[in-house]
Amino acid sequence: TAGITQAPTSQILAAGRSMTLRCTQDMRHNAMYWYRQDLGLGLRLIHYSNTAGTTGKGEVPDGYSVSRANTDDFPLTLASAVPSQTSVYFCASSDSGGRGYTFGSGTRLTVV
Amino acid sequence: DAKTTQPPSMDCAEGRAANLPCNHSTISGNEYVYWYRQIHSQGPQYIIHGLKNNETNEMASLIITEDRKSSTLILPHATLRDTAVYYCIVRSYSSGSARQLTFGSGTQLTVLP
């Protein structure tokens, strides 16, 4: 089934450690996004990429970095995790016009 | 992108139509209305979108007022599995240029047995 694959599904991470959340799509969508969702709140954009080789900052980019080496993959890296980064992270993709977005199942991250 | 206003919660009886309102009084001419929903702990799911004409697909209908300042998402025969948070999002569509979605608080729809 075409869509977005995120890994891992959940992770407990010690504060100060680094981690990369993986996101892969097989729809050949140009644009990809990372959102975080805190308990009881809506989704907030962390970073986005309009096309391979380009990235941009969203609403809450601090503490996160991304890369877009190819069309399919859009990893999110936490260089030095802090407890406030405890959240559920969703990766999404869309076609060039952003007409329809597809979301992954999410990664639940707990920083202790 | 224009700001949207939705009621925080609604209930609906199973088998009845669920009508979810959204106000977007500052919408501009090139902005579309999108609806997504998020079932507990899952990623958001696209439902429908429209510009000014009413739209219908296998999931729902979207009714946009003539002045485009408000819209209503209609789930014609709600089931328990339709219990979710429903997000109304307004954004522009520019061919060749992707734009991120900005999520508000949405409406928690609870379908009651």
Side-chain angles (χ1 to χ4, degrees):
Chain A
T1 304
I4 290 185
T5 301
Q6 290 187 237
T9 55
S10 66
Q11 181 75 44
I12 298 175
L13 183 68
R17 301 295 296 270
S18 66
M19 180 177 181
T20 296
L21 280 62
R22 301 185 297 279
C23 175
T24 300
Q25 55 108 352
D26 60 3
M27 299 168 285
R28 307 302 294 174
H29 282 169
N30 285 324
M32 297 187 74
Y33 315 84
W34 274 105
Y35 289 85
R36 63 175 287 175
Q37 186 172 34
D38 301 315
L39 188 64
L41 300 179
L43 287 81
R44 292 183 294 169
L45 182 69
I46 305 171
H47 284 288
Y48 65 93
S49 169
N50 285 340
T51 188
T54 69
T55 62
K57 294 182 178 180
E59 180 185 356
V60 288
D62 294 342
Y64 307 94
S65 63
V66 292
S67 61
R68 188 86 184 280
N70 57 62
T71 297
D72 298 342
D73 300 300
F74 190 43
L76 176 74
T77 298
L78 289 68
S80 179
V82 294
S84 62
Q85 292 178 308
T86 294
S87 189
V88 180
Y89 291 85
F90 290 102
C91 179
S93 71
S94 67
D95 61 18
S96 294
R99 184 171 293 149
Y101 286 67
T102 300
F103 284 82
S105 299
T107 294
R108 184 175 299 274
L109 178 66
T110 303
V111 181
V112 297
Chain B
D1 295 332
K3 178 181 172 60
T4 62
T5 303
Q6 300 177 251
S9 64
M10 293 181 63
D11 292 340
C12 175
E14 188 177 19
R16 304 296 294 271
N19 297 281
L20 291 90
C22 179
N23 286 323
H24 31 79
S25 58
T26 60
I27 193 170
S28 60
N30 67 341
E31 289 182 317
Y32 284 70
V33 180
Y34 287 79
W35 283 86
Y36 283 76
R37 73 180 184 183
Q38 187 174 24
I39 297 171
H40 182 63
S41 299
Q42 298 181 20
Q45 176 189 25
Y46 167 82
I47 301 173
I48 199 167
H49 77 284
L51 182 62
K52 53 184 177 181
N53 297 322
N54 297 338
E55 302 287 344
T56 296
N57 63 22
E58 65 279 4
M59 290 183 68
S61 295
L62 174 60
I63 308 298
I64 302 174
T65 58
E66 191 170 344
D67 63 8
R68 303 209 321 123
K69 293 184 177 182
S70 65
S71 61
T72 301
L73 177 74
I74 301 173
L75 308 179
H77 305 287
T79 71
L80 298 179
R81 287 175 294 181
D82 291 323
T83 292
V85 177
Y86 287 77
Y87 296 99
C88 170
I89 300 168
V90 173
R91 64 165 286 268
S92 60
Y93 170 80
S94 177
S95 179
S97 174
R99 290 288 305 275
Q100 56 269 26
L101 297 174
T102 300
F103 288 82
S105 300
T107 296
Q108 171 66 58
L109 174 68
T110 302
V111 180
L112 304 171

